Amino acid sequence: MARKKTEIQAVRPDVAVYPIGVAAKLLNVHPRTLRIYEKEGLIKPTHLGNRRMFSADDIQWINCIRRFIHEEGISIPGLKKLLEFVPCWEIADCPADVHECCGAKVDRSVPRSPHRVGDVAARKVAKAKDVEKRKTAAQKKKHQSIG
């Protein structure tokens, strides 16, 4: 009986293949640094069991984070706050031809629901609307990646 040949395909840049130790070596950082970035919500590696796995896109995004922190002097809390309001390519001043092809680009910015300052009830309603907008945006993104 003839064996079925398996196709060999190139690994896509969004497929997590690097364990934390290898990713840290590629980035020339300590693995603890990557754990800190994850704890702070700047990165979201894939978890396989109790192992963190990183894709080529993750490595590229972490390089961008490090450039923001070390070259631009933006603190981690400052970077987190900036990413809430504008996409990463605006912070980094990436040209359109670069950010349109970038697999590591991050856009966590969602328009905020306006509310009257000092009105606690209105703030809670606006916050709930914002949470719903984020869920809807995440679902759309998920459906786009699947379809």
Side-chain angles (χ1 to χ4, degrees):
M1 187 184 304
R3 275 211 247 174
K4 184 178 176 182
K5 289 187 177 183
T6 56
E7 280 188 42
I8 298 175
Q9 296 179 347
V11 176
R12 297 186 335 242
D14 62 333
V15 176
V17 294
Y18 305 112
I20 192 168
V22 173
K25 284 185 181 177
L26 288 171
L27 293 159
N28 198 26
V29 299
H30 194 278
R32 181 74 188 131
T33 302
L34 300 179
R35 289 186 194 99
I36 290 168
Y37 292 164
E38 181 183 11
K39 181 181 172 196
E40 292 291 336
L42 291 173
I43 62 173
K44 293 178 183 168
T46 302
H47 285 265
L48 296 176
N50 63 351
R51 297 185 72 196
R52 290 171 179 85
M53 301 295 285
F54 295 84
S55 67
D57 286 346
D58 293 331
I59 301 296
Q60 185 178 352
W61 171 235
I62 295 165
N63 272 323
C64 290
I65 290 170
R66 299 209 30 91
R67 189 170 51 252
F68 291 143
I69 293 169
H70 295 286
E71 292 176 18
E72 301 295 328
I74 302 172
S75 67
I76 290 175
L79 183 56
K80 285 170 53 176
K81 193 54 120 175
L82 278 171
L83 288 169
E84 288 179 19
F85 297 107
V86 294
C88 67
W89 60 86
E90 287 186 16
I91 299 170
D93 273 338
C94 289
D97 60 328
V98 172
H99 84 257
E100 287 173 2
C101 299
C102 180
K105 66 185 173 186
V106 172
D107 185 1
R108 296 187 187 136
S109 59
V110 174
R112 305 277 181 199
S113 299
H115 64 279
R116 191 174 297 275
V117 174
D119 186 345
V120 176
R123 187 183 58 154
K124 286 181 181 178
V125 169
K127 179 86 170 173
K129 285 181 184 177
D130 292 344
V131 168
E132 190 58 39
K133 284 181 190 175
R134 286 188 186 278
K135 285 181 183 176
T136 303
Q139 288 172 347
K140 284 182 184 177
K141 190 174 182 178
K142 186 176 179 181
H143 288 296
Q144 288 173 350
S145 66
I146 292 172

